[in-house]
Amino acid sequence: MHTNPPAAAQLTAFAGKRKVAAGPLHAVAQSLKELVTREPDAQILIFDDASGSQVDLHLHGSLADVLQRLPRAATPAPQEDTPARTAGRPKLGVVAREITLLPRHWEWLATQPGGASVALRKLVEHAQRGNKAHDEQRQAREAAYKVMNALAGDAPGFEEASRALFAGKQPAFLACVQNWPADVREHVLQLAQRGWSEG
């Protein structure tokens, strides 16, 4: 799935199996515009380094046109006079969504201090803290896999590398990707680095 990059994205771009640009969105867009001006038939794939997802950049027109189409970093709105405080809770940015639980879960939540919403928020916060390292490893492996699939899906050892990546078997993974094109191998290894268990 291709997405539009956020303004603060760090990107890496490939022309075939060759890395041709890496860095912040605006710098990569400028490098790629220069590349397609020199090589109009270049087959470019651009990846968000955080997620491994492919991103789209519209490179037609002048460099000024390309840069103008890019998203800009959000700038804070100018401060206006602070409104008078009113009674009640400040806005927390709470979003209402429907959830489905078993009756025994609702019964337990009803006995918790602050009610169901407070208890659920505490449970989610606790789970986020407790699973942070595991979530980061999973996200790193998924990012590496997305890039592998796009750039090396037909490479020898791809299936074995995929299995080793998701099984957390770093030595086997390294052996499988050893003969891949250097730029592809190095980028995949960089993305997968946070995906290995410590120790």
mmCIF file of all heavy atoms in Angstrom, residues 105-113 115-116:
data_model
loop_
_atom_site.group_PDB
_atom_site.id
_atom_site.type_symbol
_atom_site.label_atom_id
_atom_site.label_comp_id
_atom_site.label_asym_id
_atom_site.label_seq_id
_atom_site.Cartn_x
_atom_site.Cartn_y
_atom_site.Cartn_z
ATOM 1 N N HIS A 105 -16.700 -9.115 32.304
ATOM 2 C CA HIS A 105 -15.762 -8.000 32.158
ATOM 3 C C HIS A 105 -16.431 -6.686 32.548
ATOM 4 O O HIS A 105 -15.837 -5.867 33.249
ATOM 5 C CB HIS A 105 -15.232 -7.919 30.722
ATOM 6 C CG HIS A 105 -14.479 -9.140 30.299
ATOM 7 N ND1 HIS A 105 -14.494 -9.595 29.005
ATOM 8 C CD2 HIS A 105 -13.710 -10.020 30.983
ATOM 9 C CE1 HIS A 105 -13.760 -10.690 28.905
ATOM 10 N NE2 HIS A 105 -13.276 -10.964 30.111
ATOM 11 N N TRP A 106 -17.664 -6.475 32.085
ATOM 12 C CA TRP A 106 -18.401 -5.259 32.438
ATOM 13 C C TRP A 106 -18.632 -5.196 33.946
ATOM 14 O O TRP A 106 -18.536 -4.128 34.559
ATOM 15 C CB TRP A 106 -19.739 -5.180 31.698
ATOM 16 C CG TRP A 106 -19.594 -4.835 30.242
ATOM 17 C CD1 TRP A 106 -19.900 -5.613 29.181
ATOM 18 C CD2 TRP A 106 -19.074 -3.612 29.705
ATOM 19 N NE1 TRP A 106 -19.615 -4.964 28.004
ATOM 20 C CE2 TRP A 106 -19.109 -3.728 28.299
ATOM 21 C CE3 TRP A 106 -18.585 -2.435 30.255
ATOM 22 C CZ2 TRP A 106 -18.680 -2.715 27.452
ATOM 23 C CZ3 TRP A 106 -18.160 -1.423 29.419
ATOM 24 C CH2 TRP A 106 -18.201 -1.571 28.033
ATOM 25 N N GLU A 107 -18.932 -6.356 34.557
ATOM 26 C CA GLU A 107 -19.154 -6.386 36.010
ATOM 27 C C GLU A 107 -17.883 -5.979 36.751
ATOM 28 O O GLU A 107 -17.929 -5.201 37.703
ATOM 29 C CB GLU A 107 -19.605 -7.784 36.450
ATOM 30 C CG GLU A 107 -21.008 -8.138 35.975
ATOM 31 C CD GLU A 107 -21.337 -9.622 36.124
ATOM 32 O OE1 GLU A 107 -20.555 -10.363 36.759
ATOM 33 O OE2 GLU A 107 -22.373 -10.036 35.560
ATOM 34 N N TRP A 108 -16.744 -6.503 36.319
ATOM 35 C CA TRP A 108 -15.482 -6.138 36.964
ATOM 36 C C TRP A 108 -15.189 -4.659 36.782
ATOM 37 O O TRP A 108 -14.794 -3.967 37.725
ATOM 38 C CB TRP A 108 -14.339 -6.987 36.399
ATOM 39 C CG TRP A 108 -13.021 -6.678 37.032
ATOM 40 C CD1 TRP A 108 -12.540 -7.159 38.209
ATOM 41 C CD2 TRP A 108 -12.017 -5.796 36.518
ATOM 42 N NE1 TRP A 108 -11.293 -6.627 38.467
ATOM 43 C CE2 TRP A 108 -10.945 -5.784 37.432
ATOM 44 C CE3 TRP A 108 -11.915 -5.004 35.373
ATOM 45 C CZ2 TRP A 108 -9.802 -5.028 37.248
ATOM 46 C CZ3 TRP A 108 -10.772 -4.259 35.187
ATOM 47 C CH2 TRP A 108 -9.728 -4.269 36.112
ATOM 48 N N LEU A 109 -15.369 -4.155 35.550
ATOM 49 C CA LEU A 109 -15.100 -2.736 35.281
ATOM 50 C C LEU A 109 -15.979 -1.829 36.133
ATOM 51 O O LEU A 109 -15.535 -0.768 36.591
ATOM 52 C CB LEU A 109 -15.310 -2.425 33.791
ATOM 53 C CG LEU A 109 -14.219 -2.926 32.853
ATOM 54 C CD1 LEU A 109 -14.662 -2.799 31.402
ATOM 55 C CD2 LEU A 109 -12.920 -2.179 33.091
ATOM 56 N N ALA A 110 -17.213 -2.251 36.374
ATOM 57 C CA ALA A 110 -18.138 -1.422 37.162
ATOM 58 C C ALA A 110 -17.674 -1.284 38.608
ATOM 59 O O ALA A 110 -18.038 -0.308 39.284
ATOM 60 C CB ALA A 110 -19.539 -2.018 37.110
ATOM 61 N N THR A 111 -16.854 -2.197 39.093
ATOM 62 C CA THR A 111 -16.393 -2.131 40.483
ATOM 63 C C THR A 111 -15.097 -1.335 40.626
ATOM 64 O O THR A 111 -14.637 -1.130 41.752
ATOM 65 C CB THR A 111 -16.145 -3.552 41.044
ATOM 66 O OG1 THR A 111 -15.052 -4.147 40.332
ATOM 67 C CG2 THR A 111 -17.393 -4.409 40.931
ATOM 68 N N GLN A 112 -14.514 -0.891 39.521
ATOM 69 C CA GLN A 112 -13.228 -0.190 39.569
ATOM 70 C C GLN A 112 -13.410 1.287 39.884
ATOM 71 O O GLN A 112 -14.386 1.909 39.458
ATOM 72 C CB GLN A 112 -12.491 -0.348 38.236
ATOM 73 C CG GLN A 112 -12.194 -1.782 37.869
ATOM 74 C CD GLN A 112 -11.447 -2.500 38.957
ATOM 75 O OE1 GLN A 112 -10.356 -2.102 39.348
ATOM 76 N NE2 GLN A 112 -12.043 -3.569 39.487
ATOM 77 N N PRO A 113 -12.478 1.858 40.659
ATOM 78 C CA PRO A 113 -12.564 3.293 40.964
ATOM 79 C C PRO A 113 -12.551 4.111 39.671
ATOM 80 O O PRO A 113 -11.727 3.876 38.802
ATOM 81 C CB PRO A 113 -11.304 3.570 41.783
ATOM 82 C CG PRO A 113 -10.773 2.242 42.192
ATOM 83 C CD PRO A 113 -11.314 1.227 41.244
ATOM 84 N N GLY A 115 -14.792 4.052 37.393
ATOM 85 C CA GLY A 115 -15.657 3.442 36.396
ATOM 86 C C GLY A 115 -14.900 2.778 35.269
ATOM 87 O O GLY A 115 -13.671 2.675 35.267
ATOM 88 N N ALA A 116 -15.657 2.335 34.281
ATOM 89 C CA ALA A 116 -15.116 1.548 33.181
ATOM 90 C C ALA A 116 -14.093 2.319 32.351
ATOM 91 O O ALA A 116 -13.031 1.782 32.008
ATOM 92 C CB ALA A 116 -16.255 1.050 32.290
#
